[in-house]
Amino acid sequence: LENPKRVPEDLFTELMEREFPKQKFVVQGGDWGALITSLIAGHYPERLLGFHVNMFTPPRVDEDFRLIPWQVSDSFLTA
């Protein structure tokens, strides 16, 4: 890897672009894959036909364990 600090969603999307140029794709993930799949969907929505995750993401809490609500952006849930 040229830059070992690159994040998985960028590497996966780059791989898909290299192997299937200009084609949209579907991603699916569970466990850690659910996180990476969600990040791909959030950062590269224009590349996807769809995405599926099969792991519940726990709610976010602050240092006092108060819930931090998720917000919906144009294409993805954000914190």
Side-chain angles (χ1 to χ4, degrees):
L1 296 175
E2 291 178 20
N3 182 356
K5 294 183 179 182
R6 294 184 58 199
V7 292
E9 66 270 18
D10 293 339
L11 294 171
F12 182 82
T13 305
E14 183 179 301
L15 172 67
M16 293 300 286
E17 176 63 32
R18 186 174 63 216
E19 296 299 318
F20 307 102
K22 309 232 184 289
Q23 293 183 33
K24 291 188 175 192
F25 54 93
V26 176
V27 290
Q28 187 281 329
D31 195 34
W32 279 104
L35 174 61
I36 296 168
T37 296
S38 298
L39 290 169
I40 292 169
H43 292 151
Y44 300 99
E46 72 283 354
R47 295 297 323 275
L48 298 182
L49 292 170
F51 78 105
H52 174 264
V53 293
N54 58 339
M55 181 178 171
F56 173 72
T57 303
R60 296 178 3 105
V61 294
D62 65 15
E63 62 276 355
D64 295 320
F65 296 98
R66 291 183 300 233
L67 285 176
I68 300 171
W70 293 96
Q71 300 172 3
V72 178
S73 69
D74 288 342
S75 62
F76 189 65
L77 289 174
T78 59

